[in-house]
């Protein structure tokens, strides 16, 4: 039985031990099998651990992708908002620049928007001073407009000519009130029937034509804003009762409609509409008047 087997003998102080080769091989095989089994088990656990890590990374990746898309959407929204704000800012800049130009102000690049807006603001006293001294508001009850300012065909003469005023609808006998304080420069007849011309401060005039002949005021009279100066009529070359109304500035005829609609709340818009007057100079003059008046009090 042992002739085909190798024997390994190990001797020590305790005696000799004999090992047969087939037993060693069996043990080695068993050790290998055990090692492989343990390796497979540990590999399975490790692979499962790696799979869980991969799943976690995939979940994190999906979360990051979702966050990235949310940030892209938020960024697009913010960019759109910034573009809209920039467009609004540009419009505000243009508006301020146009007001500054109308008022004769220089655009100082080192000033903030708030500072530039502050320069455009008028105090209540300045506003009231301007509204008392230049024509504003309707001189008669507002019943509409029958003839506009500018070039037109004359309704009677049938020829193209410049209409220097505006025709306000009114029945005969409608009261006319001074649109600003001033002095009566003229009261009497001319080509437009019975007229009254008021001379206001700072070179402004208001003209009223086709009036009823009634000497309510005469040349040289001083009037305050809102004082009665006469009544509408149908005198002169007229197609029917109405009031012809003009606003002049040092012999320039201005668009009366702007002055009819002039109020405190739209004063800056008014300055921008009518640019043939140096409004900043007028504001300075009104301010100087108010300072001088306060000093005399």
């Amino acid at each position: 039985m042992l002739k085909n087997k190798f024997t390994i003998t190990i001797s020590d102080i305790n005696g000799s031990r004999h090992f047969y080769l087939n037993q060693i091989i069996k043990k080695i095989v068993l050790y290998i099998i055990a090692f492989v089994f343990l390796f497979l088990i540990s590999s399975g656990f490790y692979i499962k651990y790696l799979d869980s890590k991969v799943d976690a990374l995939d979940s994190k990746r999906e979360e990051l992708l979702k966050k990235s898309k949310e940030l892209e959407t938020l960024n697009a929204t913010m960019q759109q908002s910034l573009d809209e704000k920039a467009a609004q800012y540009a419009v505000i800049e243009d508006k301020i620049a146009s007001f500054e130009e109308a008022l004769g102000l220089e655009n100082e690049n080192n000033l903030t928007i708030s500072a530039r807006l502050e320069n455009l603001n008028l105090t209540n006293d300045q506003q009231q001073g301007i509204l008392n001294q230049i024509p504003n508001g309707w001189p008669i009850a507002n019943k509409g407009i029958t003839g506009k300012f500018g070039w037109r065909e004359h309704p009677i003469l049938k020829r193209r000519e410049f209409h220097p005023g505006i025709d306000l609808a009114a029945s005969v006998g409608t009261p006319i009130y001074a649109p600003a304080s001033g002095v009566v420069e003229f009261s009497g007849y001319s080509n437009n029937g019975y007229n009254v011309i008021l001379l206001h401060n700072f070179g402004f005039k208001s003209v009223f034509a086709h009036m009823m002949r009634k000497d309510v005021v005469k040349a040289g009279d001083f009037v305050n804003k809102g004082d009665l100066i006469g009544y509408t009529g149908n005198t002169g070359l007229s197609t029917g009762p109405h009031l012809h109304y003009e606003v002049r500035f040092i012999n320039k005829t201005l668009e009366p409609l702007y002055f009819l609609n002039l109020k405190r709340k739209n004063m800056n818009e008014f300055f921008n509409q009518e640019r043939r007057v140096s409004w900043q100079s007028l504001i300075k003059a009104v301010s100087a008047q108010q300072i001088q008046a306060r000093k005399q009090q």
Side-chain angles (χ1 to χ4, degrees), residues 118-183:
E118 187 65 29
N119 286 341
L120 295 178
N121 287 336
L122 301 178
T123 66
N124 287 334
D125 287 345
Q126 288 173 327
Q127 290 178 341
Q128 194 58 52
I130 290 170
L131 293 177
N132 281 337
Q133 300 185 71
I134 72 170
N136 63 91
W138 285 67
I140 61 173
N142 182 0
K143 300 296 183 181
I145 296 170
T146 58
K148 295 181 180 180
F149 173 81
W151 289 96
R152 67 169 187 176
E153 181 179 286
H154 194 284
I156 296 176
L157 301 177
K158 301 300 180 184
R159 65 188 182 199
R160 184 172 171 77
E161 64 178 25
F162 187 80
H163 188 221
I166 195 168
D167 293 336
L168 307 179
S171 57
V172 172
T174 299
I176 304 170
Y177 302 99
S181 299
V183 61

XYZ file of all heavy atoms in Angstrom, residues 118-183:
511
model
N -32.499 114.400 -8.295
C -32.648 115.473 -7.316
C -32.509 116.829 -7.993
O -33.216 117.787 -7.661
C -31.594 115.327 -6.215
C -31.757 116.301 -5.055
C -33.044 116.074 -4.284
O -33.537 114.926 -4.242
O -33.572 117.051 -3.737
N -31.615 116.915 -8.990
C -31.432 118.175 -9.711
C -32.673 118.552 -10.511
O -32.917 119.732 -10.796
C -30.239 118.081 -10.662
C -28.923 118.133 -9.915
O -28.874 118.576 -8.782
N -27.861 117.666 -10.553
N -33.451 117.523 -10.901
C -34.641 117.795 -11.718
C -35.845 118.187 -10.869
O -36.802 118.774 -11.371
C -35.009 116.543 -12.534
C -34.006 116.100 -13.599
C -34.505 114.834 -14.272
C -33.788 117.184 -14.639
N -35.822 117.832 -9.585
C -36.975 118.093 -8.726
C -37.121 119.583 -8.438
O -36.151 120.291 -8.191
C -36.827 117.345 -7.395
C -37.036 115.858 -7.568
O -37.694 115.427 -8.500
N -36.460 115.072 -6.672
N -38.357 120.036 -8.513
C -38.671 121.412 -8.149
C -39.377 121.411 -6.802
O -40.191 120.534 -6.514
C -39.590 122.035 -9.205
C -39.070 122.084 -10.642
C -40.130 122.692 -11.546
C -37.796 122.887 -10.726
N -39.061 122.382 -5.993
C -39.745 122.495 -4.714
C -41.181 122.956 -4.960
O -41.523 123.463 -6.044
C -39.032 123.511 -3.814
O -39.150 124.814 -4.412
C -37.560 123.150 -3.641
N -42.015 122.791 -3.962
C -43.402 123.250 -4.067
C -43.457 124.752 -4.342
O -44.282 125.231 -5.129
C -44.169 122.926 -2.786
C -44.466 121.443 -2.666
O -44.545 120.747 -3.661
N -44.619 120.971 -1.444
N -42.567 125.498 -3.684
C -42.538 126.949 -3.899
C -42.168 127.285 -5.341
O -42.740 128.189 -5.952
C -41.531 127.601 -2.940
C -42.043 127.630 -1.508
O -43.259 127.417 -1.322
O -41.232 127.853 -0.598
N -41.176 126.560 -5.877
C -40.775 126.801 -7.268
C -41.911 126.470 -8.227
O -42.192 127.222 -9.165
C -39.541 125.967 -7.610
C -38.257 126.458 -6.961
C -37.106 125.513 -7.189
O -37.287 124.302 -7.259
N -35.907 126.056 -7.300
N -42.571 125.339 -7.976
C -43.693 124.956 -8.839
C -44.796 126.004 -8.787
O -45.331 126.405 -9.825
C -44.237 123.589 -8.406
C -43.317 122.436 -8.709
C -43.884 121.123 -8.209
O -44.765 121.095 -7.350
N -43.386 120.025 -8.739
N -45.152 126.416 -7.564
C -46.216 127.405 -7.425
C -45.810 128.727 -8.051
O -46.630 129.411 -8.689
C -46.555 127.604 -5.941
C -47.856 128.350 -5.703
C -49.043 127.664 -6.342
O -49.266 126.465 -6.141
N -49.795 128.396 -7.154
N -44.520 129.090 -7.899
C -44.044 130.332 -8.508
C -44.152 130.310 -10.017
O -44.560 131.303 -10.641
N -43.825 129.163 -10.618
C -43.931 129.037 -12.073
C -45.387 129.075 -12.516
O -45.757 129.771 -13.469
C -43.248 127.735 -12.537
C -41.735 127.846 -12.369
C -43.580 127.439 -13.997
C -41.001 126.551 -12.581
N -46.257 128.327 -11.801
C -47.665 128.251 -12.191
C -48.394 129.581 -11.991
O -49.426 129.822 -12.620
C -48.369 127.142 -11.405
C -47.902 125.712 -11.726
C -48.621 124.709 -10.840
C -48.138 125.369 -13.196
N -47.889 130.412 -11.136
C -48.500 131.731 -10.946
C -48.080 132.723 -12.027
O -48.780 133.706 -12.270
C -48.132 132.304 -9.576
C -48.961 131.699 -8.458
O -50.060 131.200 -8.687
N -48.429 131.730 -7.251
N -46.922 132.464 -12.663
C -46.349 133.492 -13.527
C -46.304 133.152 -15.015
O -46.039 134.027 -15.832
C -44.931 133.829 -13.037
C -44.933 134.360 -11.611
C -43.559 134.805 -11.162
O -43.053 135.826 -11.624
N -42.933 134.052 -10.269
N -46.547 131.895 -15.383
C -46.651 131.569 -16.810
C -48.021 130.952 -17.055
O -48.600 130.327 -16.156
C -45.525 130.620 -17.275
C -45.737 129.199 -16.726
C -44.157 131.150 -16.877
C -44.808 128.179 -17.349
N -48.585 131.132 -18.236
C -49.939 130.628 -18.503
C -50.030 129.124 -18.282
O -49.160 128.362 -18.712
C -50.150 130.982 -19.984
C -49.198 132.099 -20.251
C -48.009 131.840 -19.395
N -51.091 128.696 -17.624
C -51.330 127.261 -17.425
C -52.787 127.033 -17.104
O -53.453 127.881 -16.512
C -50.431 126.721 -16.303
C -50.725 127.345 -14.963
O -51.531 126.842 -14.184
N -50.074 128.488 -14.677
N -53.289 125.889 -17.492
C -54.684 125.550 -17.255
C -55.611 126.160 -18.300
O -55.191 126.935 -19.164
N -56.866 125.806 -18.214
C -57.864 126.275 -19.179
C -58.405 127.638 -18.740
O -58.855 127.777 -17.598
C -59.001 125.273 -19.288
C -58.622 124.049 -20.083
C -57.717 123.102 -19.737
C -59.142 123.674 -21.357
N -57.626 122.151 -20.712
C -58.489 122.464 -21.715
C -60.083 124.221 -22.219
C -58.760 121.806 -22.915
C -60.356 123.568 -23.410
C -59.701 122.379 -23.758
N -58.431 128.628 -19.650
C -58.970 129.947 -19.294
C -60.498 129.969 -19.264
O -61.097 130.911 -18.751
C -58.419 130.856 -20.389
C -58.233 129.953 -21.572
C -57.865 128.614 -21.008
N -61.115 128.938 -19.873
C -62.581 128.808 -19.841
C -62.906 127.367 -19.471
O -62.016 126.515 -19.409
C -63.226 129.152 -21.213
C -62.718 128.190 -22.300
C -62.967 130.594 -21.600
C -63.435 128.343 -23.636
N -64.180 127.106 -19.226
C -64.594 125.732 -18.949
C -64.272 124.854 -20.155
O -64.505 125.246 -21.305
C -66.088 125.696 -18.647
N -63.739 123.685 -19.892
C -63.298 122.784 -20.968
C -64.499 122.128 -21.647
O -65.114 121.216 -21.115
C -62.373 121.724 -20.381
C -61.833 120.776 -21.452
O -62.145 120.893 -22.628
N -61.002 119.840 -21.019
N -64.796 122.637 -22.861
C -65.867 122.051 -23.679
C -65.317 121.416 -24.952
O -66.065 121.071 -25.860
C -66.892 123.130 -24.059
C -67.580 123.805 -22.875
C -68.418 122.814 -22.089
C -69.162 123.517 -20.945
N -69.979 122.569 -20.140
N -63.980 121.301 -25.012
C -63.375 120.682 -26.189
C -62.640 121.689 -27.061
O -62.654 122.899 -26.807
N -61.982 121.175 -28.100
C -61.173 121.979 -29.024
C -61.773 121.890 -30.420
O -62.079 120.793 -30.907
C -59.719 121.461 -29.028
C -59.095 121.658 -27.643
C -58.881 122.153 -30.094
C -57.758 120.966 -27.474
N -61.932 123.034 -31.050
C -62.515 123.054 -32.407
C -61.481 123.404 -33.479
O -61.758 123.240 -34.671
C -63.669 124.072 -32.477
O -63.186 125.375 -32.121
C -64.795 123.677 -31.530
N -60.329 123.878 -33.090
C -59.279 124.215 -34.058
C -57.907 124.067 -33.431
O -57.652 124.597 -32.355
N -57.004 123.332 -34.117
C -55.690 123.048 -33.548
C -54.661 124.084 -33.956
O -54.840 124.841 -34.917
C -55.227 121.654 -33.977
C -56.084 120.529 -33.424
C -55.555 119.173 -33.862
C -56.409 118.044 -33.297
N -55.908 116.710 -33.708
N -53.561 124.077 -33.227
C -52.403 124.938 -33.490
C -51.626 124.377 -34.680
O -51.455 123.179 -34.819
C -51.527 124.952 -32.235
C -50.204 125.655 -32.385
C -50.117 127.039 -32.286
C -49.042 124.932 -32.603
C -48.898 127.689 -32.396
C -47.818 125.576 -32.716
C -47.748 126.952 -32.623
N -51.184 125.282 -35.577
C -50.350 124.851 -36.704
C -50.951 125.186 -38.059
O -51.932 125.933 -38.161
N -50.341 124.625 -39.095
C -50.794 124.912 -40.459
C -52.149 124.264 -40.730
O -52.402 123.130 -40.332
C -49.773 124.402 -41.471
C -48.510 125.222 -41.488
C -47.353 124.967 -40.831
C -48.319 126.453 -42.187
N -46.437 125.951 -41.059
C -46.999 126.886 -41.907
C -49.115 127.238 -43.025
C -46.470 128.060 -42.417
C -48.583 128.397 -43.548
C -47.273 128.808 -43.245
N -53.013 125.035 -41.429
C -54.350 124.530 -41.756
C -54.932 125.391 -42.883
O -54.384 126.449 -43.242
C -55.270 124.611 -40.539
C -55.563 126.046 -40.128
C -56.666 126.160 -39.108
N -57.034 127.567 -38.872
C -58.016 127.948 -38.088
N -58.740 127.065 -37.430
N -58.288 129.243 -37.944
N -56.065 124.966 -43.393
C -56.800 125.789 -44.363
C -57.767 126.677 -43.589
O -58.557 126.193 -42.776
C -57.564 124.908 -45.346
C -58.319 125.726 -46.394
C -59.062 124.864 -47.403
O -58.408 124.276 -48.272
O -60.308 124.767 -47.286
N -57.700 127.975 -43.817
C -58.573 128.903 -43.111
C -60.027 128.581 -43.453
O -60.391 128.465 -44.633
C -58.253 130.354 -43.504
C -58.859 131.363 -42.581
N -60.203 131.684 -42.606
C -58.303 132.121 -41.586
C -60.457 132.598 -41.693
N -59.308 132.882 -41.053
N -60.885 128.429 -42.432
C -62.267 128.004 -42.696
C -63.090 129.017 -43.487
O -64.099 128.648 -44.104
C -62.844 127.795 -41.284
C -61.995 128.631 -40.391
C -60.629 128.613 -40.994
N -62.678 130.283 -43.492
C -63.432 131.307 -44.215
C -62.696 131.749 -45.477
O -63.274 131.801 -46.568
C -63.715 132.526 -43.310
C -64.615 132.094 -42.134
C -64.378 133.655 -44.099
C -64.872 133.190 -41.126
N -61.399 132.036 -45.336
C -60.605 132.521 -46.476
C -60.224 131.399 -47.440
O -59.804 131.680 -48.566
C -59.341 133.228 -45.972
C -59.587 134.430 -45.043
C -58.268 134.999 -44.562
C -60.401 135.510 -45.776
N -60.334 130.138 -47.008
C -60.066 128.968 -47.845
C -58.649 128.990 -48.426
O -58.433 128.698 -49.605
C -61.099 128.853 -48.978
C -62.532 128.745 -48.513
C -62.743 127.515 -47.629
C -64.190 127.398 -47.169
N -64.391 126.267 -46.243
N -57.705 129.372 -47.627
C -56.312 129.327 -48.059
C -55.486 128.759 -46.905
O -55.852 128.893 -45.734
C -55.820 130.724 -48.438
C -55.766 131.707 -47.279
C -55.456 133.097 -47.755
N -55.350 134.035 -46.622
C -55.444 135.355 -46.751
N -55.656 135.911 -47.944
N -55.329 136.141 -45.693
N -54.364 128.120 -47.267
C -53.507 127.503 -46.254
C -52.724 128.587 -45.520
O -52.060 129.422 -46.134
C -52.540 126.520 -46.922
C -51.660 125.749 -45.934
C -50.871 124.667 -46.661
N -49.875 124.040 -45.804
C -50.124 123.142 -44.867
N -51.381 122.759 -44.653
N -49.155 122.613 -44.146
N -52.829 128.573 -44.201
C -52.091 129.539 -43.398
C -51.833 128.958 -42.016
O -52.439 127.963 -41.615
C -52.860 130.853 -43.280
C -54.181 130.745 -42.553
C -54.879 132.092 -42.419
O -54.618 132.979 -43.248
O -55.681 132.237 -41.485
N -50.905 129.604 -41.318
C -50.527 129.112 -39.994
C -51.499 129.645 -38.943
O -51.745 130.850 -38.870
C -49.101 129.558 -39.651
C -48.570 128.947 -38.385
C -48.067 127.654 -38.372
C -48.588 129.660 -37.189
C -47.579 127.080 -37.206
C -48.115 129.102 -36.023
C -47.598 127.807 -36.035
N -52.039 128.720 -38.157
C -52.960 129.086 -37.070
C -52.137 129.202 -35.798
O -51.703 128.183 -35.231
C -54.041 128.019 -36.940
C -55.131 128.380 -35.989
N -55.697 127.474 -35.111
C -55.799 129.555 -35.788
C -56.648 128.059 -34.413
N -56.727 129.323 -34.802
N -51.902 130.411 -35.281
C -50.963 130.605 -34.173
C -51.530 130.268 -32.796
O -50.829 130.405 -31.795
C -50.629 132.094 -34.250
C -51.868 132.702 -34.810
C -52.435 131.703 -35.769
N -52.783 129.856 -32.768
C -53.391 129.552 -31.473
C -54.205 128.282 -31.538
O -54.028 127.435 -32.417
N -55.103 128.150 -30.603
C -55.979 126.996 -30.526
C -57.390 127.516 -30.299
O -57.587 128.515 -29.593
C -55.530 126.060 -29.386
C -56.184 124.687 -29.495
C -55.765 126.668 -28.023
C -55.558 123.658 -28.567
N -58.392 126.908 -30.942
C -59.782 127.345 -30.802
C -60.483 126.457 -29.788
O -60.535 125.223 -29.944
C -60.500 127.282 -32.146
C -59.944 128.297 -33.146
O -59.369 129.305 -32.698
O -60.083 128.073 -34.364
N -61.018 127.100 -28.760
C -61.694 126.375 -27.686
C -63.198 126.546 -27.822
O -63.694 127.673 -27.966
C -61.228 126.901 -26.322
C -59.705 126.938 -26.095
C -59.396 127.493 -24.713
C -59.109 125.562 -26.271
N -63.906 125.444 -27.790
C -65.363 125.480 -27.949
C -66.002 126.211 -26.770
O -65.641 125.992 -25.613
C -65.908 124.054 -28.041
N -66.950 127.100 -27.086
C -67.635 127.853 -26.032
C -68.849 128.553 -26.630
O -68.833 128.957 -27.794
C -66.699 128.875 -25.392
N -69.888 128.659 -25.853
C -71.042 129.456 -26.264
C -70.786 130.913 -25.904
O -69.909 131.225 -25.088
C -72.301 128.945 -25.563
O -72.131 128.973 -24.159
N -71.536 131.829 -26.517
C -71.364 133.259 -26.249
C -71.625 133.546 -24.773
O -72.595 133.038 -24.184
C -72.316 134.092 -27.133
C -72.279 135.562 -26.728
C -71.954 133.926 -28.599
N -70.736 134.346 -24.175
C -70.916 134.752 -22.785
C -70.240 133.863 -21.763
O -70.456 134.029 -20.560
N -69.377 132.921 -22.225
C -68.643 132.066 -21.274
C -67.545 132.884 -20.595
O -66.757 133.551 -21.279
C -68.014 130.864 -22.006
O -69.050 130.083 -22.617
C -67.226 129.999 -21.031
N -67.447 132.877 -19.275
C -66.404 133.665 -18.580
C -64.998 133.192 -18.946
O -64.743 131.996 -19.103
C -66.691 133.414 -17.095
C -68.094 132.913 -17.037
C -68.336 132.184 -18.316
N -64.089 134.169 -19.088
C -62.678 133.882 -19.390
C -61.851 134.359 -18.206
O -62.014 135.492 -17.741
C -62.227 134.614 -20.679
C -63.139 134.247 -21.850
C -60.767 134.273 -20.999
C -62.898 135.109 -23.085
N -60.942 133.504 -17.748
C -60.139 133.823 -16.572
C -58.652 133.854 -16.937
O -58.185 133.109 -17.803
C -60.385 132.790 -15.467
C -61.837 132.699 -15.058
C -62.666 131.689 -15.551
C -62.381 133.636 -14.185
C -63.998 131.611 -15.178
C -63.719 133.564 -13.804
C -64.524 132.553 -14.305
O -65.849 132.490 -13.951
N -57.926 134.717 -16.254
C -56.495 134.862 -16.518
C -55.764 133.565 -16.187
O -55.915 133.032 -15.088
C -55.921 135.998 -15.678
N -54.946 133.024 -17.132
C -54.231 131.768 -16.889
C -52.978 131.955 -16.035
O -52.344 130.985 -15.645
C -53.867 131.302 -18.296
C -53.741 132.561 -19.071
C -54.745 133.517 -18.506
N -52.611 133.215 -15.763
C -51.470 133.529 -14.896
C -51.558 135.002 -14.524
O -52.276 135.779 -15.173
C -50.151 133.231 -15.596
N -50.838 135.379 -13.497
C -50.824 136.792 -13.113
C -50.070 137.608 -14.156
O -49.168 137.102 -14.832
C -50.143 136.953 -11.749
O -50.850 136.230 -10.755
N -50.465 138.889 -14.314
C -49.804 139.742 -15.291
C -50.481 141.093 -15.400
O -51.239 141.497 -14.515
N -50.204 141.764 -16.512
C -50.774 143.084 -16.770
C -51.446 143.048 -18.134
O -50.988 142.363 -19.058
C -49.683 144.178 -16.712
C -48.599 143.947 -17.757
C -50.286 145.569 -16.864
